[in-house]
Amino acid sequence: MSTTADNHLLTGAYALHALEPAEEAAFERHMAHCAACAQEVREFTETATKLGLAAAVAPPPGFKDAGMARITDVRQEPPQAVRATPPRRRPRPVHWALAACAALAAALGGTAVWQGQRAGEARTEARAAQDRAARLDAVLSAPDVKVTSGAIDAGGRATVVVSRARDGAVFAAAGLPDPPAGKVYQLWLDVDGTMRPAGLLPGSSGTVLMNGSPREATAMGVTVEPEGGSPAPTSQPVALMSLPG
């Protein structure tokens, strides 16, 4: 059963349509009477829209025509018959009911402590995510924002958004090759010829608020590094981009 505290942590997931139908319905009932959650949902939705536009990739020429042409060539697979399996009889709980009650009673104390700790961690994570989303949105909506975008030789496309006034930079990528097992894409800011760590890209696509200040940086790069990142690049860059002035 969800609590009011739980619902306050679901604003980001609701904005990204990541809730189960039952959770979504319950959250909408909660949001109808919670102005704070309604405001957070609006802010998350606006931010997600901006990120989608920043990482959008135009389809290749003829993509729609080729897809429409294939409709007449590809046969639809017939439905497959599913063999009904008779339900298994559940064993009667009489034999272990007393033991289960005893085990449950012994575990309740530890469960309560664990739930309290997990709730605290979830609130901390939610606050950190909201703070980061707010800073990312501040960069994207800054009046002096400048954008540069280009294709990456290895595949995919990258976009960098910089606001000198907000002292922040956002990196968005789409369609990069998947990094090798145990590796991640790491971002760097070039400051006077020194590459400074600026964050990790989650997977082969995504949007990241870069760590560090772009005010003294002239360029940024992307390398493939071990999971968790490296203090300095250990491989040749897969992308190098000048930061927009």
Side-chain angles (χ1 to χ4, degrees), residues 88-167:
R88 296 181 179 179
R89 296 181 60 187
R90 294 183 179 180
R92 295 180 180 179
V94 177
H95 301 292
W96 62 79
L98 294 178
C101 289
L104 178 61
L108 282 177
T111 300
V113 173
W114 177 84
Q115 289 179 335
Q117 292 174 340
R118 187 65 191 95
E121 292 171 359
R123 285 191 291 269
T124 299
E125 293 170 0
R127 283 193 295 267
Q130 291 170 1
D131 178 65
R132 198 164 184 83
R135 289 189 289 128
L136 189 149
D137 185 64
V139 172
L140 296 178
S141 60
D144 69 326
V145 68
K146 294 185 179 180
V147 180
T148 185
S149 183
I152 296 177
D153 291 341
R157 191 170 184 84
T159 299
V160 181
V161 181
V162 175
S163 167
R164 306 286 177 177
R166 302 293 187 188
D167 195 23

Side-chain angles (χ1 to χ4, degrees), residues 1-4 6:
M1 178 177 178
S2 297
T3 65
T4 301
D6 294 332

